[in-house]
Amino acid sequence: MAASAEQAWTLFGAGVRAVLEAWPALQIAVENSFGGAHSRQKALWLGGVVEDYFIQNADLEQDEVEDFLADIMSTEFDTLVEDGSLPQVSQQLQTMFTYCRSGEEPLLREFITKMGKKQMEVKATEVRAVDQTKDSDSDQEERIDGEAEEMEVTDGMEVPAPPCGSQAGPSAATSLASVGHEATEDGWIVIQRKKK
């Protein structure tokens, strides 16, 4: 029985890593080096820290786990997680911890397998996002040379970001105020710079 319990705790560590590797917010922070030059090492470190946190605190509430993860993401990765994923990740970690404590090794293995599949989906999404970013960068370069730029705005309250290299401040606010926009037939808003 002792060997089975030890194996369950080893599986718990693997499960923690699987959940974290399937967490898009963390993976985006790592891919974009929000944690600095050692973002990948910090992500590996985070797996051990989360595992220890659960082992040392047996009766954690979901909001405690959320706060713990949010604090680490903010401190170590300079990232505020506002995509609603904190409750989901916290719940996944707690489910695995419960399986581990009750010796439900088959359920724990099944959960880890499911997380592995989700991890593959996250990586596939990242690859598609990177490819789309490269395409849109070349499109943007082509539009900059023209008189008018078209930008997609999903919410009427959003304001386009100032061009690269410009500084935000009073001059940026006044230049944004001089931007005109008109709604098209399909609901998109076309934003055009007014001629000076």
Side-chain angles (χ1 to χ4, degrees):
M1 178 129 189
S4 180
E6 186 176 315
Q7 189 172 4
W9 288 111
T10 302
L11 282 173
F12 177 68
V16 167
R17 287 186 296 282
V19 168
L20 295 177
E21 289 172 3
W23 187 15
L26 176 61
Q27 296 312 309
I28 289 169
V30 169
E31 290 298 318
N32 292 296
S33 299
F34 293 169
H38 302 290
S39 291
R40 292 200 188 283
Q41 289 84 354
K42 285 184 180 182
L44 294 173
W45 164 83
L46 179 59
V49 169
V50 170
E51 185 179 352
D52 289 344
Y53 181 68
F54 272 91
I55 291 171
Q56 294 172 4
N57 303 289
D59 295 323
L60 291 169
E61 297 291 326
Q62 184 169 335
D63 62 337
E64 292 175 306
V65 178
E66 288 177 35
D67 291 344
F68 177 75
L69 292 173
D71 185 47
I72 288 179
M73 288 296 287
S74 175
T75 305
E76 298 297 329
F77 294 95
D78 198 25
T79 302
L80 293 176
V81 181
E82 296 179 333
D83 64 352
S85 64
L86 277 171
Q88 180 183 16
V89 170
S90 300
Q91 194 273 329
Q92 291 168 343
L93 291 169
Q94 285 186 299
T95 299
M96 282 193 321
F97 187 68
T98 302
Y99 290 160
C100 187
R101 282 180 46 192
S102 62
E104 300 285 343
E105 194 176 315
L107 289 174
L108 191 56
R109 286 184 186 279
E110 182 181 329
F111 194 88
I112 292 169
T113 302
K114 188 187 313 181
M115 287 294 104
K117 290 178 183 175
K118 187 173 180 182
Q119 175 186 354
M120 296 307 291
E121 291 171 12
V122 168
K123 290 188 187 250
T125 302
E126 287 176 7
V127 169
R128 281 196 302 266
V130 168
D131 288 345
Q132 290 173 354
T133 302
K134 288 179 182 176
D135 291 344
S136 68
D137 287 347
S138 62
D139 291 347
Q140 185 176 5
E141 289 171 7
E142 292 171 8
R143 286 192 306 242
I144 290 176
D145 295 336
E147 288 286 324
E149 279 184 49
E150 291 186 20
M151 301 174 75
E152 295 179 6
V153 179
T154 57
D155 184 355
M157 299 303 290
E158 288 187 37
V159 179
C164 291
S166 66
Q167 296 180 355
S171 62
T174 53
S175 67
L176 290 176
S178 65
V179 174
H181 64 279
E182 56 189 61
T184 62
E185 299 160 2
D186 59 357
W188 289 99
I189 297 175
V190 177
I191 299 178
Q192 297 177 325
R193 296 182 191 268
K194 291 190 176 182
K195 294 180 182 170
K196 296 180 182 179

